[in-house]
């Protein structure tokens, strides 16, 4: 198994943060490689699928469709990548109230190889930096969600 996580405090109410993360059409605004995302069918919830296009590091675009597997508003949101290559990670956002109307968000990215993929487990450790980078994108969501007048640190 390969995994990484990132925690961030967002100075917004938990419901607003959850709704922003769950609504896939927001992805191009806060996930750097995402070109476009469209909800494929049905109401937003567990089982909802999204068609997504991302820019590969080499410049071409690839499919990175996903399906919501857990939709427990406003506490937990999980999704699994369903297209775009042999590695199909699961992303889980766990949200907790942080007081004063703020929210703590933990983004975890995880990949569990199955079948013959388990033989490649040692090589999959090379994915950790990529997963850590992907988990840190939630910082960009925070920048969009919080008021523009943030005090300087």
């Amino acid at each position: 198994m390969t995994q990484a996580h990132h925690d961030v405090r967002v100075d917004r109410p938990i419901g607003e943060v959850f709704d922003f993360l769950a609504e896939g059409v927001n992805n191009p605004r806060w996930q750097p490689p995402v070109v476009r995302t469209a909800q494929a069918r049905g109401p937003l919830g567990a089982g909802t699928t999204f068609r997504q296009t991302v820019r590969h590091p080499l410049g071409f675009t690839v499919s990175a469709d996903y399906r919501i597997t857990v939709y427990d508003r406003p506490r937990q949101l999980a999704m699994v990548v369903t297209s775009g290559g042999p590695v199909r990670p699961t992303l889980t956002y766990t949200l907790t109230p942080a007081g004063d109307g703020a929210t703590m968000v933990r983004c975890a990215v995880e990949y569990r190889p199955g079948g013959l993929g388990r033989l490649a487990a040692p090589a999959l450790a090379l994915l950790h930096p990529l997963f850590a980078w992907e988990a840190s994108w939630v910082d960009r969501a925070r920048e969009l969600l919080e008021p523009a007048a943030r005090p300087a640190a």
Side-chain angles (χ1 to χ4, degrees):
M1 174 176 65
T2 300
Q3 63 180 359
H5 70 271
H6 185 77
D7 299 323
V8 65
R9 177 188 167 101
V10 181
D11 290 331
R12 301 300 300 163
I14 191 170
E16 288 181 27
V17 177
F18 182 93
D19 293 344
F20 181 84
L21 296 173
E23 186 54 64
V25 296
N26 290 325
N27 293 355
R29 296 175 57 203
W30 64 280
Q31 297 179 18
V34 176
V35 175
R36 75 181 144 270
T37 306
Q39 189 170 327
R41 60 179 170 78
L44 190 57
T48 300
T49 59
F50 287 87
R51 291 182 308 274
Q52 184 165 261
T53 303
V54 299
R55 185 157 312 283
H56 188 276
L58 296 178
F60 55 89
T61 58
V62 296
S63 168
D65 299 346
Y66 66 93
R67 181 180 70 254
I68 295 176
T69 56
V70 176
Y71 187 90
D72 182 15
R73 187 182 189 278
R75 304 277 181 191
Q76 190 171 49
L77 176 69
M79 53 205 68
V80 63
V81 176
T82 59
S83 71
V87 176
R88 308 248 171 112
T90 298
L91 288 87
T92 303
Y93 298 94
T94 304
L95 293 80
T96 54
D100 297 330
T103 304
M104 287 302 300
V105 180
R106 169 167 279 204
C107 175
V109 182
E110 179 178 283
Y111 174 65
R112 292 178 184 266
L116 293 176
R118 284 190 224 123
L119 298 175
L124 292 174
L126 298 173
L127 292 173
H128 180 78
L130 176 65
F131 285 4
W133 177 61
E134 190 170 344
S136 74
W137 296 343
V138 75
D139 285 335
R140 294 173 58 104
R142 178 193 64 212
E143 293 168 8
L144 292 170
L145 285 164
E146 290 184 350
R150 274 182 73 120

